[in-house]
Amino acid sequence: NAGVTQTPKFQVLKTGQSMTLQCAQDMNHNSMYWYRQDPGMGLRLIYYSASEGTTDKGEVPNGYNVSRLNKREFSLRLESAAPSQTSVYFCASSERTSGGAGEQFFGPGTRLTVL
Amino acid sequence: GQQLNQSPQSMFIQEGEDVSMNCTSSSIFNTWLWYKQDPGEGPVLLIALYKAGELTSNGRLTAQFGITRKDSFLNISASIPSDVGIYFCAGQRGNTPLVFGKGTRLSVIA
């Protein structure tokens, strides 16, 4: 039981490049989330998926897109990376079926640098 | 958006001391959660609180859901070096996603 896994762990991009961050969970959770963490800012929600087939914007969605591929997987895409997107990205999942969160479980994070 | 005020922002304590931190909001929440993040890792859930006035312990950690439903407290007794990390509070209101505080960075001096 691996919990929440994220790939890659580290990534360096040049401005304007695109990439997709992958997240998978094996806990059969309905809800999945993407956060970014910046120094002194805590965790800010980018997008979430309350259930398979649905996605909703969080606090800071600009510059990102998401895909809930199936119940297990939720990917985050940067179409044209900008230096302001340099951050640590965390994926999380929870069992709640509504848009709410309850007890979320987090992955180990992806450390992204945009030059 | 909703804001959680978490304090203190950072604290340096001696090993063996007790620690207190809190989280306040201008809005009512119906769930409070406390997480710990070790360096280079994702946050890990420590304690979940679901009822106003609830007091819950997890080993040396004790958390309380404030009676007003606008605050929560976390206490760590007899701190040890492995308590080092960032502690986050998170609140949920209705069916909305969690809102996180900005964290309390704890350093323990042996």
Side-chain angles (χ1 to χ4, degrees):
Chain A
N1 191 344
V4 179
T5 57
Q6 292 183 236
T7 56
K9 290 190 176 182
F10 300 93
Q11 184 71 48
V12 178
L13 293 177
K14 294 181 180 179
T15 297
Q17 287 184 320
S18 62
M19 79 160 295
T20 299
L21 280 64
Q22 307 287 351
C23 173
Q25 51 93 8
D26 62 3
M27 296 174 282
N28 202 35
H29 285 168
N30 287 303
S31 301
M32 298 185 73
Y33 312 83
W34 276 106
Y35 292 88
R36 61 178 289 173
Q37 185 177 31
D38 302 296
M41 297 295 292
L43 291 157
R44 293 184 293 170
L45 184 64
I46 304 171
Y47 271 95
Y48 66 101
S49 171
S51 61
E52 188 178 353
T54 68
T55 60
D56 286 285
K57 295 178 180 179
E59 181 185 354
V60 289
N62 292 343
Y64 306 95
N65 285 299
V66 291
S67 295
R68 184 73 183 268
L69 304 170
N70 47 55
K71 191 172 185 178
R72 289 187 62 249
E73 299 172 288
F74 188 38
S75 63
L76 178 71
R77 182 161 179 84
L78 287 69
E79 291 291 350
S80 179
S84 61
Q85 293 179 305
T86 293
S87 187
V88 181
Y89 291 85
F90 289 101
C91 178
S93 71
S94 71
E95 197 167 331
R96 292 286 292 270
T97 56
S98 67
E103 298 179 16
Q104 290 185 355
F105 297 86
F106 284 82
T110 294
R111 284 142 188 84
L112 175 66
T113 301
V114 183
L115 302 175
Chain B
Q2 298 175 56
Q3 297 283 334
L4 290 185
N5 299 309
Q6 190 171 349
S7 65
Q9 288 186 341
S10 62
M11 49 195 319
F12 292 82
I13 62 169
Q14 295 279 349
E15 184 177 355
E17 288 184 348
D18 296 343
V19 174
S20 292
M21 60 189 77
N22 68 78
C23 210
T24 61
S25 173
S26 58
S27 302
I28 290 175
F29 287 97
N30 55 23
T31 299
W32 285 96
L33 305 172
W34 284 92
Y35 287 84
K36 182 195 177 194
Q37 184 178 27
D38 290 327
E41 303 290 332
V44 174
L45 182 65
L46 298 174
I47 294 178
L49 302 160
Y50 297 103
K51 293 171 63 175
E54 181 180 356
L55 186 70
T56 298
S57 293
N58 178 5
R60 294 178 295 104
L61 277 63
T62 302
Q64 184 163 24
F65 192 140
I67 290 292
T68 65
R69 300 173 66 188
K70 293 183 179 181
D71 55 11
S72 181
F73 306 87
L74 176 69
N75 295 314
I76 305 172
S77 62
S79 59
I80 59 178
S82 62
D83 290 334
V84 166
I86 304 176
Y87 292 80
F88 291 100
C89 62
Q92 185 185 7
R93 185 183 183 191
N95 290 326
T96 59
L98 288 178
V99 177
F100 282 84
K102 294 183 178 181
T104 293
R105 185 180 295 273
L106 178 64
S107 300
V108 179
I109 304 167

